[in-house]
Amino acid sequence: MNECVKNLNRIEFVVTMACTGKCKHCSQGNHDASSEHFDADIAEKIISDICSMYTIESLMTFGGEPLLWPEVVSRIHKAAAEQGIPKRQLITNGFFSKDRKRIKEVVDMLADSELGEIALSVDAFHQETIPLEPVKYFAECVTKTDMSIKLHPAWLVDETDNNPYNVRTREIMKEFDYLKISVSSGNVIFPSGNAVKYLGEYFDENKEYTSPYDEDPKDIRAIGFLPDGDVLDGNVYRDSIIDILNGYRA
């Protein structure tokens, strides 16, 4: 087994880069309206192949807004459940439709896929461009299933800072009090992409920031797939994931 990936225990899929929000804090910059999304058939094979060689503890889907392609998300999580991956997570802003019937339909689809945990991104940044009512209805529907859901806010500077964005985030989270949804630790905004462009005044020019998502290239624990199939030094639309893992060099 390739020494650089021998400790692999997590799979991540960026289902699509298309998004329903235009957030000032987004580390990816502006998302376009691209319809490109990860191929569900290939995702299912990837999960099966990786699990045949590694003990995978968790799988996550995110984007962009992954629920623009709920069928793909559902198939990925169903495959993960069938392979016995214990922790199956989704990060979503909860806004993919204003149609309540469609929202309920998607939630039922996710529940049937045996998705375990949903991190719902609600904060001052998302709600600048994303309406709150359909997001609240999405959360309400999820609370009626066996899936767990947590609010997952983005904090500027840190959670305790009282800048206007954090103040607004706290106000928005109170809108969900009636659902008694717990709140995760969220994440502190990293200076990258839109965050540098729109929020630069909040970052210390003399401080060296380290991305919490960086992997040690000599000890890959989490492997992430982009919508176009890119992963590590290869592409799963051209080569098998096992060949890519075996051929990877730090």
Side-chain angles (χ1 to χ4, degrees):
M1 184 178 289
N2 186 338
E3 285 294 306
C4 293
V5 293
K6 68 179 182 180
N7 294 316
L8 180 65
N9 62 15
R10 179 173 171 86
I11 302 171
E12 298 178 346
F13 287 97
V14 180
V15 175
T16 180
M17 291 302 291
C19 194
T20 51
K22 297 184 182 298
C23 300
K24 286 180 180 176
H25 74 305
C26 185
S27 62
Q28 300 298 322
N30 290 324
H31 290 260
D32 60 27
S34 168
S35 62
E36 183 177 37
H37 62 281
F38 206 92
D39 183 281
D41 291 336
I42 293 177
E44 289 173 341
K45 179 165 176 46
I46 286 168
I47 294 166
S48 175
D49 287 349
I50 292 178
C51 288
S52 71
M53 294 187 62
Y54 298 88
T55 301
I56 302 300
E57 299 172 0
S58 63
L59 178 145
M60 175 178 281
T61 51
F62 55 101
E65 176 41 54
L67 292 184
L68 289 171
W69 297 96
E71 293 81 7
V72 175
V73 173
S74 296
R75 286 180 61 182
I76 288 173
H77 285 284
K78 188 66 174 178
E82 291 172 350
Q83 291 296 328
I85 299 176
K87 195 169 186 177
R88 302 179 297 279
Q89 306 163 294
L90 164 70
I91 296 180
T92 174
N93 65 37
F95 180 52
F96 49 90
S97 175
K98 291 183 178 179
D99 183 339
R100 286 194 164 210
K101 181 179 178 181
R102 176 58 176 168
I103 293 170
K104 177 68 164 55
E105 180 180 80
V106 168
V107 170
D108 289 343
M109 192 186 307
L110 295 174
D112 288 343
S113 76
E114 299 182 63
L115 169 64
E117 303 174 13
I118 295 177
L120 182 60
S121 299
V122 290
D123 47 54
F125 304 100
H126 287 87
Q127 266 54 66
E128 276 192 326
T129 56
I130 292 173
L132 196 56
E133 285 309 310
V135 177
K136 287 166 65 176
Y137 183 67
F138 169 78
E140 185 177 324
C141 290
V142 173
T143 62
K144 297 175 182 178
T145 72
D146 291 332
M147 297 181 291
S148 68
I149 183 169
K150 289 185 176 182
L151 302 183
H152 188 67
W155 300 106
L156 186 58
V157 182
D158 62 53
E159 184 178 351
T160 63
D161 195 88
N162 282 321
N163 62 74
Y165 291 101
N166 285 359
V167 170
R168 178 60 182 144
T169 291
R170 296 185 193 106
E171 292 173 350
I172 290 167
M173 290 195 299
K174 288 180 180 179
E175 293 278 342
F176 292 82
D177 283 353
Y178 75 104
L179 292 175
K180 303 188 186 315
I181 294 175
S182 60
V183 180
S184 77
S185 57
N187 62 280
V188 176
I189 297 168
F190 180 75
S192 177
N194 280 357
V196 174
K197 182 178 179 180
Y198 296 110
L199 305 169
E201 64 188 282
Y202 291 95
F203 300 113
D204 185 346
E205 292 180 358
N206 300 314
K207 178 179 177 180
E208 183 177 346
Y209 291 87
T210 302
S211 172
Y213 308 111
D214 284 347
E215 284 276 315
D216 180 349
K218 295 182 179 179
D219 185 20
I220 301 292
R221 306 294 180 98
I223 186 170
F225 298 88
L226 295 178
D228 63 1
D230 280 352
V231 59
L232 297 178
D233 296 329
N235 187 288
V236 289
Y237 294 161
R238 297 192 303 264
D239 305 299
S240 78
I241 184 56
I242 299 304
D243 287 345
I244 292 172
L245 289 170
N246 288 339
Y248 170 73
R249 296 294 180 267

